[in-house]
Amino acid sequence: MRASDDSIARVRAAIANIGRGHQVVLAGDHGKGEPNGHLMMAGSFASASSMAFMVRYGSGFVCASVTNSVCEVLGLVPMTGTIARPAGCYYTVSVDAVDCGTGISATDRAGTVRQLADPEASRAMFSRPGHVMPHRGHTDGVLGHRGVAEALTDLLKLANLGEVGVYTALESTTNSLQEADAAECIAFAEMHGLAWLTIDDIVVWRCMMECHVERSFGPKELDDAEQISAAGFTGTLSGIDYLVYLIGSAPVVDPLVRVHHETAVAAHLLAPDPALLAAVDAVRVHGGGVVVLERWASGRLAASTPLLGANLEWARAADIAQILEAVGVVQMSGPATVSADELSSLTTCSLEKC
């Protein structure tokens, strides 16, 4: 099983479990700048028992993941002194539901979270400050910021469970002054029969399952005799530009795919790059297929940006899979720079629907 399969399986399990009102464990990786372990669930399912479970095994600091629209409707303003991250990530002033008691009990905090998750809620239904701390996540979820609120918001969206979740840091079993690390999170999830996943898993899911490619031009015929045409694409997430050479008359049975990394600014068929020409020749001899040229300048730019971090390769692989789908390639003969096996497993959406 490939790493991508593991990620997809974990996200699917998390979606199913959170959809049934269960809690899910987010196993963080502090080495990647992520928070450590957290317990999280859909706000609409919050109950006294689930809140008590969070308080028992967590830090006791209960947060609600909220979106920008929820903040606007409920008047959730940034907490004084909060430093807003890009795209407005911040903690808001804490709240209690006005119809709860002191606000601190598990029952009261669960009621506050359910009230936050209620689409009919209004700002007058909450008192400030309170005992639940809303956290507004990045507008683009984990693709914008690798945080707990973003991970939970993305999961809720995938499960069609609204825009409010609840989470708390999972306490380490070996040191009560620290949060649980990844190994402790996995052990905790297995002990309590909970699904677990990582932020990386959600990033991989979104790279693979969402369309992040746009056509920039073409296909445009370059050489009628040689049956070569070209089309351009841009990865909106990866930031990479692609030039795609379509070789042979369609449809090509078992088309050969080659992925080529441009090594100079002007490498293309009119300014020969030996490796590129060799790839084109191989496809022509095979009887037809596609050569995907990853542009040099855009690749360097994408590699220098920290947005995706180690997941840039997943975004790139998903780009290529979506491009191949867009140009009508269904079956491929390998090997390619990204294996045919990987690319065929990354089919996500029709480019024409983007």
Side-chain angles (χ1 to χ4, degrees), residues 36-92:
N36 282 326
H38 283 75
L39 281 168
M40 55 189 192
M41 68 180 297
S44 57
F45 286 122
S47 65
S49 60
S50 62
M51 190 63 65
F53 185 87
M54 281 191 166
V55 172
R56 177 183 178 185
Y57 294 106
S59 65
F61 184 64
V62 177
C63 301
S65 61
V66 295
T67 62
N68 177 54
S69 60
V70 171
C71 289
E72 291 180 348
V73 170
L74 302 183
L76 302 177
V77 299
M79 180 187 294
T80 301
T82 293
I83 299 175
R85 295 186 177 92
C89 306
Y90 55 73
Y91 284 106
T92 78

Side-chain angles (χ1 to χ4, degrees), residues 51-318:
M51 190 63 65
F53 185 87
M54 281 191 166
V55 172
R56 177 183 178 185
Y57 294 106
S59 65
F61 184 64
V62 177
C63 301
S65 61
V66 295
T67 62
N68 177 54
S69 60
V70 171
C71 289
E72 291 180 348
V73 170
L74 302 183
L76 302 177
V77 299
M79 180 187 294
T80 301
T82 293
I83 299 175
R85 295 186 177 92
C89 306
Y90 55 73
Y91 284 106
T92 78
V93 174
S94 57
V95 297
D96 283 336
V98 295
D99 58 356
C100 72
T102 62
I104 197 170
S105 71
T107 299
D108 292 345
R109 283 195 270 189
T112 296
V113 171
R114 289 197 306 273
Q115 190 83 279
L116 286 168
D118 185 349
E120 302 301 318
S122 66
R123 63 185 65 194
M125 295 179 176
F126 300 92
S127 59
R128 301 162 176 79
H131 296 86
V132 173
M133 184 74 68
H135 187 281
R136 171 180 156 168
H138 195 288
T139 54
D140 199 19
V142 295
L143 299 184
H145 176 66
R146 300 170 68 92
V148 184
E150 289 78 11
L152 182 49
T153 298
D154 281 352
L155 276 182
L156 294 175
K157 183 177 180 180
L158 292 171
N160 195 27
L161 284 174
E163 301 180 24
V164 176
V166 57
Y167 66 91
T168 190
L170 184 61
E171 189 177 275
S172 169
T173 56
T174 59
N175 186 342
S176 61
L177 299 179
Q178 295 181 352
E179 297 174 359
D181 60 22
E184 288 180 299
C185 287
I186 296 171
F188 180 89
E190 292 174 348
M191 178 183 298
H192 294 278
L194 303 176
W196 69 271
L197 78 169
T198 67
I199 291 177
D200 265 350
D201 293 335
I202 302 173
V203 171
V204 170
W205 175 285
R206 291 195 58 190
C207 286
M208 293 166 59
M209 299 298 182
E210 298 175 5
C211 192
H212 297 287
V213 174
E214 294 178 351
R215 187 189 296 267
S216 54
F217 73 88
K220 179 180 180 181
E221 188 175 279
L222 298 181
D223 190 323
D224 183 51
E226 294 289 341
Q227 295 182 320
I228 299 178
S229 58
F233 298 87
T234 297
T236 57
L237 178 59
S238 67
I240 300 175
D241 292 323
Y242 301 91
L243 183 59
V244 181
Y245 293 107
L246 311 172
I247 303 165
S249 57
V252 176
V253 178
D254 188 28
L256 180 63
V257 173
R258 286 290 184 266
V259 180
H260 178 71
H261 298 271
E262 195 175 59
T263 56
V265 176
H268 51 78
L269 293 185
L270 300 181
D273 176 328
L276 174 60
L277 293 181
V280 172
D281 286 341
V283 172
R284 184 185 293 113
V285 170
H286 178 79
V290 178
V291 175
V292 180
L293 174 63
E294 184 178 306
R295 302 296 292 181
W296 180 81
S298 62
R300 283 173 56 92
L301 175 63
S304 68
T305 58
L307 176 62
L308 293 173
N311 298 112
L312 177 60
E313 278 303 301
W314 286 115
R316 173 181 165 274

